[in-house]
Amino acid sequence: MSDSQPANLPDLLGAVTGGDRLNLDVVQCALGVRPSSVSAGKPFEAILLLQNASDVNVDVTAVVKLPEQDARGKRNRFIVKRERLVVGLRPAEVGFMTLPLSSSPQTAPGSDYRLVMELGVKRM
């Protein structure tokens, strides 16, 4: 390959998420939930894929925000053991975070539930 041609690298984040991703400072992020359909009372997990697109070390902080109430307005139906996680990435490194989650067996079914992840990047 000549120096004038850009590298043709696979889009791993796009392959996992169907193209959805966030560019946050020098970090590329993609969020998924496994399984994609969650049953009340069953555990599930959020998976955050991260790629450091720079030549410096970074720390990525993730804070999960679960729905405050279910579709019937009942509070505290979603459970997370640790709301905040931090991962360090070296230059050009790819990593991931998994956050185990659960819902109460009494959680009302719904299709409008949102899992929100607040992210921060700190260059080291």
Side-chain angles (χ1 to χ4, degrees), residues 26-103:
V26 296
V27 176
Q28 297 172 335
C29 314
L31 180 64
V33 176
R34 184 174 60 185
S36 58
S37 179
V38 179
S39 300
K42 300 290 184 183
F44 60 104
E45 65 183 347
I47 303 167
L48 181 63
L49 302 170
L50 303 164
Q51 179 171 309
N52 182 354
S54 75
D55 61 353
V56 297
N57 292 341
V58 296
D59 277 353
V60 179
T61 303
V63 179
V64 65
K65 302 289 184 183
L66 297 173
E68 292 184 13
Q69 57 188 20
D70 71 1
R72 292 191 188 115
K74 302 294 183 182
R75 299 181 70 76
N76 301 320
R77 296 293 192 196
F78 297 92
I79 304 146
V80 61
K81 187 172 183 177
R82 288 185 73 181
E83 293 178 347
R84 181 178 183 274
L85 292 175
V86 178
V87 66
L89 293 173
R90 296 179 70 169
E93 190 172 38
V94 175
F96 67 96
M97 293 182 185
T98 59
L99 296 140
L101 307 163
S102 188
S103 64

